[in-house]
């Protein structure tokens, strides 16, 4: 299997980690009754649970762009050095982003985001060069 498709699979796993971490942390603050109920009334969370929810929201914003870029490059027969680098940067940046966000590390977290964004751009660039 192509490296880029493997990285897409890893990115899905990263998303699942985000989802599970945010859900567990949120349920621990909101309680199981609220979590199992209809959730008609929002219950805000704070601290770690809030950071995990924001990190997951950030992940959900970028993942579709990465996934589509990889799939279009694959379908267009454009895999090569740029897509390999792009996929590696996206996954590496996203792997670093979650713990940095959870720990509240400024600047370095933003650099990790920029690395992942650069990965998307490089993967797209392979479609036109």
């Amino acid at each position: 299997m192509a490296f880029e498709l493997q990285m897409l699979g890893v990115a899905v796993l990263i998303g699942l980690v985000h989802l599970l971490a945010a859900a567990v942390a949120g349920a621990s603050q909101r309680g199981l009754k609220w979590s199992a109920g209809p959730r008609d009334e929002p219950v805000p969370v704070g601290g770690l649970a809030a950071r995990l929810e924001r990190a997951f929201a950030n992940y959900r914003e970028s993942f579709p762009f990465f996934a589509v870029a990889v799939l279009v490059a694959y379908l267009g027969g454009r895999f090569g050095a740029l897509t390999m680098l792009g996929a590696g940067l996206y996954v590496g940046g996203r792997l670093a982003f979650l713990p940095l966000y959870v720990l509240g590390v400024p600047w370095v977290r933003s650099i990790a985001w920029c690395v992942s964004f650069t990965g998307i751009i490089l993967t797209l660039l392979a479609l036109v060069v």
Side-chain angles (χ1 to χ4, degrees):
M1 180 184 306
F3 175 77
E4 295 89 341
L5 295 176
Q6 290 175 354
M7 291 299 96
L8 183 55
V10 171
V12 170
L13 292 175
I14 294 169
L16 291 173
V17 168
H18 274 274
L19 171 64
L20 185 60
V24 169
S28 71
Q29 287 190 19
R30 292 180 178 112
L32 290 176
K33 182 179 178 184
W34 183 88
S35 295
R39 303 177 186 183
D40 291 334
E41 298 297 323
V43 175
V45 294
L48 176 66
R51 274 189 241 119
L52 284 166
E53 286 187 0
R54 289 190 305 272
F56 184 41
N58 183 280
Y59 187 82
R60 290 190 319 264
E61 291 171 355
S62 70
F63 176 75
F65 294 108
F66 173 68
V68 169
V70 168
L71 293 174
V72 169
Y74 173 71
L75 293 172
R78 303 299 296 196
F79 277 179
L82 278 177
T83 57
M84 285 183 73
L85 180 59
L89 287 174
Y90 178 80
V91 168
R94 294 317 307 198
L95 279 171
F97 185 85
L98 181 59
L100 291 168
Y101 202 114
V102 167
L103 295 171
V105 179
W107 298 107
V108 180
R109 180 194 81 217
S110 297
I111 291 169
W113 183 90
C114 288
V115 167
S116 69
F117 186 80
T118 300
I120 295 170
I121 298 302
L122 290 176
T123 302
L124 288 173
L125 189 59
L127 300 175
V128 295
V129 294

